[in-house]
Amino acid sequence: MPKIKTKRAAAKRFKRTGSGQFKHRQAYKNHILTKKSAKRKRHLKHLVVLPASDQEAVERMMPYA
């Protein structure tokens, strides 16, 4: 049985935590930052855990992560 290829786009966006969940960077912090408040930008900088509903899809994209 051949190995399954990892989707490289997913590998760049998601990292697995020690407990097996996936974490990812939040959206809306790339451009047009002048109109966003400092508080909003500060809260967007942290990594967040992927919702359980998306977990299975990412596991299929990254079988060896």
Side-chain angles (χ1 to χ4, degrees), residues 1-59:
M1 192 91 181
K3 289 190 213 171
I4 304 168
K5 285 190 174 182
T6 295
K7 300 284 184 273
R8 297 313 297 162
K12 293 168 189 175
R13 287 169 172 81
F14 303 104
K15 302 283 178 233
R16 196 180 277 275
T17 64
S19 61
Q21 296 176 307
F22 285 99
K23 58 186 177 179
H24 68 95
R25 216 180 92 209
Q26 295 195 69
Y28 306 111
K29 197 170 185 288
N30 272 330
H31 60 103
I32 316 176
L33 298 173
T34 51
K35 63 172 78 171
K36 294 170 189 162
S37 69
K39 179 182 177 179
R40 182 173 168 191
K41 290 184 279 191
R42 189 169 60 245
H43 281 87
L44 286 171
K45 78 179 167 186
H46 303 292
L47 296 176
V48 291
V49 175
L50 194 71
S53 57
D54 297 327
Q55 192 88 10
E56 190 180 330
V58 175
E59 282 173 358

